[in-house]
Amino acid sequence: MEAGDDLVCCPVCDALHRVGEVDDDTRVRCIRCNTVIAVGRPEAILRIVVLASTALILMTIVVFYPFLELRNGIFTSKASVFQTVMSFSEGVMAPLSIAVAFFVIVLPVARLMALLWALFPLSIGAKPLRGARTMLRWAEILKPWAMAEIFMVGVAVALIKLADLATLSMGPAFWSFAAIVFITALKDTQMSKHSIWTALDTAQRT
Amino acid sequence: MDGTGHGAENLKALTALDAGLVGCRHCTRVAPLGATICTRCGGALESRDRTSMQRVWAWWLVGLLFFIPANLYPMLITQTVGRASEATIVGGVIELAQHGAYGVAGIVFFASIIIPVGKFIAIGYLALIVRKPHGHKPKSLLHLFEVVEWIGRWSMIDVFVVAILVALVQFNLLATINPGIAAVCFALSVVFTMLSALSFDSRRIWDQIETIADE
Ligand SMILES: [Zn+2]
Ligand SMILES: [Zn+2]
């Protein structure tokens, strides 16, 4: 077998496939481990770009707005994602503060920006930017470390833990954050390594 | 081959290694065996990660070492008008259950105890199997790996809960909540077990699955 453009190797199980043009609205799965290796969606890149930019804009708003409000008679306290991240910033807990900042804000944002860097020019039919390949590779590497959706569940748990201590209500940022999680999940279903890399290859050649 | 479902007949396939090629795990491009850097994405190429098992065990062990103090020391230190109470992970779960929040207690118990313990066992089991396979059902093996890879990050819930509680209650006169040392240990333990699972070369599990299916 010659190493050609249509030869695709499953990243999970190493099985070789010959993938040519993929029909619209079909997925090609690995014959052995069932991993999706190609998605036949010509508009997939555009969708990913739109979803990623939406999530990125929401993210910048969300970080500084309160997502939880606590009322207890005369006292009111609000917490934003930024405050939550800073809650460990004193003393020995400082490294934990940095870690939470990375998992909840820095890595999700970095991942979205890397994706946009690599794919935005493609969506408007322009030539890819410099370093598009490295960016795309890093977007994939960062995936398990971006934990915005886990943070959401954490908010729900915290809410119930404090339920009898005070009245709690969710601020606007909570719903925006929920939207980000949903959008990111939707975006990831549009992605398939082979399809995106092929699109990047094609754009670079023209 | 329509590629739907994975029955026993699909357990064997021509792999890149069989064909004298090496596949890139980042971008799926294949290169001749022996190439070290992918021409398409610049990622490192290795047909079967040779040092993978050492790294799996090293991260696994460090993760386990941090998991022990994470359970012994307090996760949260709450001070309410002169009284201070400390809650460990298990203590927090019991407290939730006493409030009648069984659902949430279940989630926290699952994310903070069941998942980490299950993950230590599963990774250890998989790492032993890859070395020496004997009479295991190939399908269960691969599902185990998929689950381990996906679920590990969810253990982080408890760390986030602590952060949220501290941020919210910090300036309230009724109670002050401070994070305990266990929060740091637990976060580190989750990170190290994630690294352990990520170090696993899934292609080696598939090699074994093929060997077992042959028997
Ligand atoms: Zn596969
Ligand atoms: Zn590559």
Side-chain angles (χ1 to χ4, degrees):
Chain A
M1 254 190 212
E2 284 290 306
D5 275 353
D6 59 342
L7 214 51
V8 176
C9 172
C10 172
V12 176
C13 77
D14 210 30
L16 278 179
H17 305 80
R18 221 173 253 290
V19 179
E21 288 287 302
V22 183
D23 294 335
D24 287 3
D25 289 315
T26 51
R27 284 155 181 262
V28 177
R29 286 176 183 274
C30 172
I31 50 159
R32 194 154 71 149
C33 71
N34 226 25
T35 307
V36 176
I37 48 178
V39 184
R41 282 208 193 90
E43 76 286 19
I45 301 279
L46 185 62
R47 270 194 217 174
I48 295 169
V49 168
V50 170
L51 291 171
S53 10
T54 316
L56 194 61
I57 293 164
L58 279 173
M59 198 76 184
T60 51
I61 302 171
V62 153
V63 170
F64 297 101
Y65 276 79
F67 66 91
L68 264 184
E69 202 182 277
L70 182 146
R71 275 187 310 276
N72 183 323
I74 37 174
F75 305 109
T76 307
S77 81
K78 291 176 180 177
S80 66
V81 176
F82 185 72
Q83 277 175 309
T84 309
V85 163
M86 296 310 287
S87 63
F88 294 133
S89 60
E90 286 165 39
V92 283
M93 298 294 172
L96 194 56
S97 206
I98 296 164
V100 173
F102 265 86
F103 292 142
V104 180
I105 304 172
V106 179
L107 294 181
V109 167
R111 194 172 165 244
L112 290 171
M113 293 203 323
L115 266 181
L116 286 176
W117 182 279
L119 299 180
F120 178 71
L122 268 64
S123 69
I124 54 165
K127 255 189 164 320
L129 295 167
R130 279 186 63 175
R133 290 154 186 278
T134 317
M135 286 299 177
L136 193 53
R137 187 153 48 86
W138 272 99
E140 191 62 34
I141 295 171
L142 291 181
K143 199 176 167 185
W145 303 100
M147 300 186 181
E149 76 274 27
I150 299 168
F151 184 79
M152 291 292 302
V153 181
V155 173
V157 174
L159 216 65
I160 293 166
K161 275 203 166 187
L162 289 173
D164 59 339
L165 194 74
T167 322
L168 284 150
S169 52
M170 281 173 274
F174 178 83
W175 302 108
S176 313
F177 215 78
I180 292 173
V181 169
F182 180 73
I183 289 167
T184 310
L186 196 65
K187 182 195 79 212
D188 287 344
T189 62
Q190 305 284 322
M191 292 180 59
S192 114
K193 286 178 182 172
H194 172 67
S195 307
I196 291 180
W197 280 101
T198 310
L200 193 61
D201 275 351
T202 319
Q204 211 125 39
R205 237 176 268 131
T206 50
Chain B
M1 283 183 277
D2 61 358
T4 47
H6 31 87
E9 71 277 5
N10 277 343
L11 290 176
K12 280 197 270 181
L14 180 71
T15 62
L17 183 64
D18 298 337
L21 299 166
V22 51
C24 175
R25 305 195 77 188
H26 300 290
C27 71
T28 71
R29 161 70 63 90
V30 289
L33 206 59
T36 50
I37 283 179
C38 176
T39 50
R40 173 147 77 172
C41 69
L45 292 177
E46 196 160 28
S47 184
R48 294 295 180 272
D49 196 337
R50 263 169 250 283
T51 57
S52 143
M53 291 333 283
Q54 279 109 296
R55 275 183 289 132
V56 169
W57 282 118
W59 291 127
W60 185 87
L61 198 67
V62 184
L64 190 63
L65 282 179
F66 277 102
F67 189 63
I68 297 162
N71 278 286
L72 294 178
Y73 291 102
M75 197 78 169
L76 271 179
I77 303 159
T78 319
Q79 280 166 321
T80 344
V81 247
R83 274 183 300 133
S85 68
E86 297 180 339
T88 56
I89 294 175
V90 179
V93 173
I94 293 169
E95 203 180 307
L96 276 171
Q98 279 169 349
H99 286 313
Y102 295 110
V104 189
I107 293 175
V108 177
F109 183 68
F110 196 75
S112 320
I113 306 285
I114 304 284
I115 294 179
V117 171
K119 210 176 159 183
F120 284 122
I121 298 171
I123 296 176
Y125 177 75
L126 279 170
L128 289 174
I129 294 299
V130 163
R131 196 166 296 172
K132 201 166 151 239
H134 40 69
H136 291 274
K137 286 203 179 71
K139 261 189 171 176
S140 54
L141 213 68
L142 86 98
H143 287 310
L144 186 62
F145 182 70
E146 280 172 5
V147 170
V148 162
E149 210 183 20
W150 181 81
I151 217 166
R153 27 204 307 276
W154 284 92
S155 303
M156 221 39 135
I157 288 180
D158 227 22
V159 177
F160 293 152
V161 170
V162 171
I164 295 163
L165 290 181
V166 172
L168 257 185
V169 189
Q170 223 167 20
F171 305 109
N172 196 311
L173 286 179
L174 266 179
T176 319
I177 297 185
N178 282 306
I181 196 75
V184 180
C185 297
F186 191 77
L188 284 172
S189 175
V190 175
V191 167
F192 290 137
T193 40
M194 277 178 73
L195 285 169
S196 175
L198 287 171
S199 306
F200 229 108
D201 190 342
S202 57
R203 295 170 300 188
R204 290 190 54 174
I205 299 178
W206 275 99
D207 289 346
Q208 290 304 354
I209 287 173
E210 208 168 67
T211 320
I212 297 165
D214 274 342
E215 283 165 6

